[in-house]
Amino acid sequence: MAQGPSPPPPPPPPPSNGDKSQKTSDIIGTLRPTKLFKLSKPNTHVTSLDFDDEGQLLLAACSDDSLQLYSARDGTHQKLCLSQKYGCHLARFSHHSQSIYYASTKFDDNIRYLSTHDNNYIRYFKGHSAAVTDLAPCPSNDMLLSCSADNTVRLWNSKSQYAQARLNLATPYLATFDPTASVIAIASASTSSILLYDLRNYEQEPFATFDMREYDPPSSNLPEWTKLEFSNDGKSLLVSTNHGQGHLLLDAFTGMLKAHLPRPYQSTWGVLRPAPSATPSKLPLGQGDTSFTADGRYVIGGSGADRDAVVWDTQGTVKKEGERKNAIALLNSRRRKARPSVAAGASNVHGLDSMPSLNGTSSLKGVPSIMGVRDWLQELGHTDDDVNGLNVIHVSGTKGKGSTCAFISSFLKAHGERTGFPQKIGLYTSPHLSYIQERIQINSRPIPENLFAKYVFEVWNGLSGRISPEPRFLQLLYLISIHAFLKERVDVAIYETHNGGEYDATNIIQQPIATAITTIGMDHVEQLGPAIENIAWHKAGIFKRGSAAFSCLQEPAATAVLQQRASEKNVALKFVDVDPTLPCKASVLKPEVQRTNCSLAIALAGAFLKVKAPEEHCILEPHDILRGIEQFSWPGRYRHIVDGNHQWFLDGAHNELSIQKAAQWFADTISEGQG
């Protein structure tokens, strides 16, 4: 939208096959820019666009508090309207081409109804007490729907300054009418839900609620849904996002995912920052960068990483949901029915005879999961150097592995947002809470479903029939994570071990940047025990010569084993106590064990930056730590939800030590509330 060079000449038409008509997809492939709408000032951003009903005029709201009108036919500038006092955003035509609605960005939160003919206000729509986040004119009459950060959705009639109806909802962010103007859809990214209301009975409960957590889980970042739109036939609902993974196409009747619309492969992961609003103190508000074509088959939008436009054929992408299900079915077919009961022999496992023997020999059962992993990776074309190039941070332990890894990811993400490095942060953890893609994340978000399915089949097809035996479930997931992180070119890969350490599938990494041991306890005793010394021996197996090694404070027996193994491997092991500078009131640090995990994560993130970051940005600054704690999210771990008069305490404790910690957290939280 900014000033730039003249549009390129159109390309030659596609070769004719003798047909008098061409496929729409062929025509779309030949489209090129034909008009350039120039802004009056340099370095000005367009924050919203809208056409009038006849398609003759284009309306742009700009970051310099101006409203620009253009002829859509020839691209010429028609009129300038200034809103210096109130700011402007979300500018929409009414059903009259000479009047518009727009949201204020400063002074107050009213919606303004402006005549562009004489630049006079027709009416102010008063009532919202916080920023308006969406405006949706009704397609059939002069009603207007608005969402606001004051947790209300309001329905207006253009003839009155006061709302005709009001809904009090939790964080509504986007709203739209269906083409018949009989249904209202309201979306909230922070709750991962979309509500459908009957316009004739809007005071009643929604007749449908779409739970989006499986397709796009809640994020602690800025709102990541930027537009909600029905197709013209009312059968599909498009959810545009401003994160790098793409957009969601839903069945408007069932809420089921019809297709995931990924951005191009080279697009930047993480949040794609929209143009700034006129008031720096307010959150930047986007309008989305996608739209249906008139027939509802194609979606046109921005690529995110460059200046290109992207067209998705929704009929060609619907099949991808089936591919995801097939990928999950394939993975599940590799689960073993039961843990092995036969002890592994020293003859076929290197180093097994050196394990500490207390109360008898170790009870390690079956074939260790590390066996075969390097061969499988080499068959896929991934060498030891490739794996080492992932810049791995490797974490083992009994309790807190996942939380520690998530803290590391959050700290590095905050550092990357401030300095530009790292830009892509891989995270591999287990088990998953809701769906399997959670195990493989980039920049704190599960990889998109289409990529997940793609990489599952690439790995499986790359191994099928070539090497025996075939990988089991966790081995296969680990191979997929390595493959995905290499393909996506992550700057760092944070890995949580599956079970143990020495013989764990994840321990084929020869040169990690740093390793760490979280709290060790009596878990998986049948596989790693029988005593805590045995378990500690296994956990310390991830230590590597030349790599930084850390551990939280352990009980004396485990400490002695960790120190002995570090000495054997010529590793300088550092024990990390709770950082006294951590904020006292941060809710995510309320459980004391999370302060332990957070402190260990700070040490690991700092060690990585010291080795890999540019010299001028090799320090994890206090700002990065505070920001990382603020945006930290690890669902299912020490989660406290207040719902009206009810409180929910959720934690996925799955061993005795975890249950003790969860019970203590629950008791402490209740005690604080009563005090």
Side-chain angles (χ1 to χ4, degrees), residues 24 71 77 115 140 258 298 308 338 383 394 425 563-564 579 618 622 629 642 650 655:
T24 305
S71 167
H77 188 269
S115 168
S140 62
K258 297 173 67 175
Y298 300 93
D308 295 338
T383 66
H394 203 188
I425 303 159
Q563 290 174 328
Q564 179 183 347
D579 189 333
C618 66
I629 292 171
V642 178
L650 307 178
N655 57 47

Side-chain angles (χ1 to χ4, degrees), residues 6 26 62 106 176 200 227 314 340 360 368-369 390 392 510 616:
S6 300
D26 293 338
C62 300
K106 53 188 180 181
T176 189
R200 296 164 299 181
K227 187 178 181 181
T314 63
S369 63
L390 288 174
V392 171
Q510 296 179 336
E616 64 273 20

Side-chain angles (χ1 to χ4, degrees), residues 370-397:
I370 193 173
M371 297 186 69
V373 174
R374 180 169 282 108
D375 292 338
W376 291 321
L377 284 171
Q378 290 176 352
E379 185 65 26
L380 292 170
H382 302 321
T383 66
D384 289 342
D385 288 342
D386 293 334
V387 177
N388 291 331
L390 288 174
N391 299 324
V392 171
I393 298 174
H394 203 188
V395 179
S396 183

Side-chain angles (χ1 to χ4, degrees), residues 470-619:
E470 294 174 336
R472 301 190 299 266
F473 176 75
L474 287 177
Q475 293 169 321
L476 184 55
L477 270 172
Y478 176 64
L479 295 172
I480 294 165
S481 73
I482 292 285
H483 184 72
F485 291 156
L486 287 171
K487 290 290 187 181
E488 295 296 326
R489 300 179 182 179
V490 299
D491 298 309
V492 55
I494 305 161
Y495 271 90
E496 171 190 354
T497 59
H498 298 145
N499 183 0
E502 178 72 30
Y503 302 125
D504 189 77
T506 65
N507 203 29
I508 55 91
I509 303 156
Q510 296 179 336
Q511 298 175 11
I513 301 302
T515 60
I517 313 295
T518 63
T519 302
I520 296 175
M522 296 297 289
D523 191 24
H524 298 294
V525 175
E526 291 185 359
Q527 287 75 44
L528 307 177
I532 196 167
E533 289 90 341
N534 301 79
I535 295 174
W537 186 92
H538 276 283
K539 304 297 184 182
I542 68 171
F543 292 160
K544 301 295 189 302
R545 185 191 302 267
S547 301
F550 301 88
S551 172
C552 65
L553 301 184
Q554 308 283 356
E555 64 176 76
T559 298
V561 174
L562 296 184
Q563 290 174 328
Q564 179 183 347
R565 295 224 67 192
S567 176
E568 293 169 354
K569 293 172 175 284
N570 196 22
V571 169
L573 173 61
K574 180 179 179 180
F575 287 89
V576 179
D577 203 348
V578 174
D579 189 333
T581 66
L582 292 178
C584 297
K585 296 183 179 181
S587 60
V588 298
L589 299 181
K590 280 291 180 67
E592 185 63 27
V593 67
Q594 288 295 64
R595 302 181 76 83
T596 298
N597 297 331
C598 180
S599 301
L600 187 59
I602 290 172
L604 286 160
F608 167 79
L609 294 173
K610 185 177 180 180
V611 175
K612 287 297 179 179
E615 184 176 355
E616 64 273 20
H617 297 308
C618 66
I619 302 297

